[in-house]
Amino acid sequence: MENAYKEIEKGYLNMELLRFTTAGSVDDGKSTLIGRLLYDSKAIFEDQMEAIERASVGKGEEEVNLALLTDGLKAEREQGITIDVAYRYFATPKRKFIIADTPGHVQYTRNMVTGASTANAALILIDARNGVIEQTKRHSFIASLLQIPHLIICINKMDLVEFKQERYEEIKKEFSKFAPKLAIKDIRFLPISAKLGDNVVDKSKNTPWYEGPTLMYLLENLHIGGDNNFLDARFPVQYVVRPQSDKYHDFRGYAGRISSGVFKTGDEVKVYPSGFTSKVKGIHFGDKALKQAFPPQSVTITLEDDIDISRGDIIIKKNDTPKIEQDIDLMVCWFNERPLQIRGKYAVKHTTNDVRCMIKDIEYKIDVNSLEKDYDDKVVKMNDICRISIRTTKSLYFDPYTRNRETGSLVLIDESTNETVAAGMII
Amino acid sequence: MDKYIINHLRELEAESIYVIREVAAQFERPTMLFSGGKDSIVMFYLARKAFWPAKVPFPLLHIDTGHNFQETLDYRDNLMESTGTKLIVGYVQESIDKGKVVEETGVNASRNMAQTTTLLDTIEEHKFDAAMGGGRRDEEKARAKERFFSHRDEFGQWDPKNQRPELWNIFNGKKKMGEHFRVFPISNWTEMDVWQYIYMEKIPIPSLYFTHKREVFNRDGVWLAKADFMELKSSEKTELKDVRCRTIGDITCTGLTLSKANTLEDIIIEVAATRVTERGGRADDKRSESAMEDRKKEGYF
């Protein structure tokens, strides 16, 4: 028992969190792969397994259908399709994983974008028999657009091409031809068979020519320490903490999550939009005082000077100014059945700030399959991706999305329905 | 760069605190559901961290089925008193007395369905526009697709096909009059994360979670506690066993685990080795394959 306690201290409390997204359809073996990762890491429990066995038999299927594990809603189970992002969890002694599992059809681009927005890595499956298809390009493009740092290309169903190295190399070459169009630095390839387990958790005897890691090893060891931006100190104020108690009578803390960069006590800071400067007096995390804070920590910061700061303001390190503009160009993915309205007005949520905007123009639309730009078609419908320009009612304090995923992103909201209609990445 | 790394529990904690603060900032009359179970204990603990040194800026809400473990109520009352937190209680018994719901009868009778009515009535009575709950996506497959900010129409219903996309750190809490939100700050936690966090932060929990001797009986493979309002079938006999709770809910449908786990470390080891989900012991989920989804659509948490 003593040893087991030590294991807890050493192991569980020392794990990192990795979020990844998987995109694809049932046909390319995505559900089987997720099922295998969950099963092999013991994240599927007996009663869950029994439930899907019951359901598979009820539908007259011969084998246990692992896809039923990921199809959560009744409507989906009845129709045999996945209509939304589902989150799955598993852990190994090294890391806890959150999978954002999204369907791969063209009409669900918006779900893929949603799943990709917080991911460290994207898993893309290619059927070894079919090679690179339109869907592969679409998924890779979205991963790149959303700036997922790591792309893992699993060339699946290797068993159906007799584990031939030539086929693997051929597909790798095919993918590498269009890879320069992507803004992803870290791209890995793996030959796997999700169904039989080759190179998923254990190294396959069928691919002696492959010297790289297994998928599980890669997920456990992918270097994610550098995924956050630790350079530009940005702290959007989320909530002002005023205790109004005798003990903390004068306490005025600014609560929020560090978007990027590192804040230390004593740092000279500047607050926007007021432009006032001050110094970091304290960094609080519950009743603990910290010397520094960095993303993705949620803390409360106090300043040396009493200045008027409220939700939506941003605290930055002095001499490291973000962009301050009202006319903004951005890439958007449209989410709503009602098409984008040129000259239309929308509510904007950007960090903790709320403003309004008018869409001035659509510059071009992108065909997500060919990656070609279309400058003529100005009708933007659900799942379309395009470049637009907007004018906001007040200045936004931002960084380009490629530099900062937190301060470079925003959503548009239809003010008549309150629905989130678009995700925007500032250029 | 590697020195700027926090472990998975700290990252989940940071995310949950962000969500709780977002609720306090975006809504006028938020509340946090508190059942006395481990998930709501952790959620309330996170809320206290989020607003320290101020008190939690919203009241807590307990929907009381009347079928409680006494230990849970004692724990709840002590915690509210020591933290100076306002607690509102909605009583299922009142909904029954007023004739708003008809109590189920028979051996499998449970007040789980009736809870939904009491919850919606209490939300309306106090004009709450957001209610935070300790639901986790790993609990059940309908929950796996739930958003952090879950929009409910004026009838309190969930429409899974019409959920708002949630991206990055941005949560859209805009709503019309009469509508409200359910918010799940610990969506991304698993059962194991919750236990590890309780261990890491040394959070006190009700004694029910540790092993104790109790009179229990077995129904369809699930161990249930003997209580005055529980009807037994003729074939069921009570026995004295070493048990502990893996979840704490209404006593009529909370399955107990045969266990000798005496410390948090024991529990973590037990959870790591166990092969059945915690809701596997909840009779209310076994009613049909989509039991949870159907209840959620009606306004259940």
Side-chain angles (χ1 to χ4, degrees), chain A residues 1 4-5 8-9 12-17 19 42 44-48 55 68 70-77 79 82-89 96 98 110 113-114 117-118 146 223 225 230-231 238-239 241-243 248 251 255-257 262 264 284-287 292 294-300 311 335 347 349-352 354 401 405-406 409-411 413 416-420 423-425, chain B residues 1-15 17-26 48-55 57 137-139 141-142 144-147 158 160-176 179 187-193 196-197 199-201 246 263-266 268-269 271-272 274-281 289-290 293-294 297:
Chain A
M1 257 334 190
Y5 293 177
I8 294 172
E9 289 282 355
Y12 300 141
L13 303 185
N14 236 335
M15 284 157 57
E16 278 179 322
L17 181 64
R19 298 170 200 252
K42 298 196 170 78
I44 295 178
F45 293 103
E46 278 169 9
D47 53 331
Q48 286 175 316
L68 292 175
T70 47
D71 295 343
L73 306 173
K74 191 156 72 176
E76 295 175 347
R77 287 196 299 278
Q79 294 166 36
T82 316
I83 53 174
D84 211 321
V85 189
Y87 295 88
R88 310 281 155 200
Y89 304 85
K96 171 194 164 90
I98 301 179
R110 65 175 199 157
V113 169
T114 303
S117 71
T118 50
L146 272 290
H223 181 77
F230 293 107
L231 301 172
Q238 199 187 357
Y239 189 89
V241 176
R242 303 228 49 189
Y248 295 99
F251 188 96
R257 200 169 181 185
V262 181
K264 296 189 170 77
H284 302 276
F285 178 58
D287 57 5
Q292 60 174 26
F294 48 88
Q297 289 181 310
S298 283
V299 294
T300 299
R311 175 177 166 87
F335 286 163
K349 271 192 180 288
H350 170 250
T351 67
T352 56
D354 282 277
Y401 186 77
R405 282 170 105 181
E406 304 301 323
S409 54
L410 57 79
V411 301
I413 295 163
S416 60
T417 61
N418 290 329
E419 287 171 328
T420 303
M425 288 134 284
Chain B
M1 282 307 181
D2 280 336
K3 61 180 174 166
Y4 299 129
I5 278 184
I6 53 178
N7 76 20
H8 69 297
L9 299 171
R10 292 281 175 230
E11 190 163 344
L12 291 170
E13 176 188 49
E15 177 180 81
I17 288 174
Y18 181 85
V19 172
I20 293 168
R21 285 170 172 169
E22 208 52 24
V23 171
Q26 287 197 35
R48 273 150 55 211
K49 264 198 173 180
F51 302 104
W52 184 93
K55 282 182 188 167
R137 288 175 181 150
D138 79 320
E139 278 180 90
K141 53 190 169 186
K145 304 204 167 179
E146 180 90 61
R147 300 288 191 264
W158 182 54
K161 282 190 174 170
N162 191 23
Q163 300 196 79
R164 292 179 183 174
E166 266 174 6
L167 299 104
W168 302 292
N169 264 333
I170 307 177
F171 298 99
N172 173 3
K174 288 181 189 285
K175 61 186 182 320
K176 291 180 181 157
E179 297 175 343
S187 287
N188 276 332
W189 298 52
T190 61
E191 182 187 14
M192 189 52 139
D193 297 328
Q196 289 171 10
Y197 187 74
Y199 174 78
M200 182 173 80
E201 296 287 288
R246 212 174 144 194
T263 60
L264 282 173
E265 290 91 331
D266 293 344
I268 292 177
I269 292 159
V271 171
T274 191
R275 300 297 298 131
V276 181
T277 61
E278 55 190 316
R279 293 198 81 92
E289 205 197 330
S290 56
E293 185 183 341
D294 294 338
K297 281 184 183 165

Side-chain angles (χ1 to χ4, degrees), chain B residues 176-218:
Chain B
K176 291 180 181 157
M177 281 285 281
E179 297 175 343
H180 73 274
F181 273 79
R182 301 290 171 84
V183 180
F184 302 95
I186 60 165
S187 287
N188 276 332
W189 298 52
T190 61
E191 182 187 14
M192 189 52 139
D193 297 328
V194 170
W195 283 117
Q196 289 171 10
Y197 187 74
I198 290 171
Y199 174 78
M200 182 173 80
E201 296 287 288
K202 303 186 174 62
I203 305 172
I205 52 168
S207 54
L208 289 166
Y209 282 113
F210 300 106
T211 188
H212 56 281
K213 287 209 187 297
R214 188 179 284 274
E215 277 203 81
V216 293
F217 63 95
N218 197 301

Side-chain angles (χ1 to χ4, degrees), chain B residues 44-83:
Chain B
F44 177 52
Y45 180 87
L46 293 165
R48 273 150 55 211
K49 264 198 173 180
F51 302 104
W52 184 93
K55 282 182 188 167
V56 172
F58 40 74
L60 265 55
L61 172 61
H62 182 208
I63 299 303
D64 184 345
T65 61
H67 295 166
N68 300 295
F69 292 97
Q70 186 56 43
E71 292 93 326
T72 319
L73 296 182
D74 295 343
Y75 177 92
R76 177 195 78 184
D77 294 341
N78 287 334
L79 185 61
M80 294 306 119
E81 203 189 308
S82 66
T83 55

Side-chain angles (χ1 to χ4, degrees), chain A residues 291-311:
Chain A
K291 286 211 171 68
Q292 60 174 26
F294 48 88
Q297 289 181 310
S298 283
V299 294
T300 299
I301 288 179
T302 52
L303 300 180
E304 294 285 358
D305 305 279
D306 211 2
I307 42 185
D308 187 26
I309 299 174
S310 52
R311 175 177 166 87

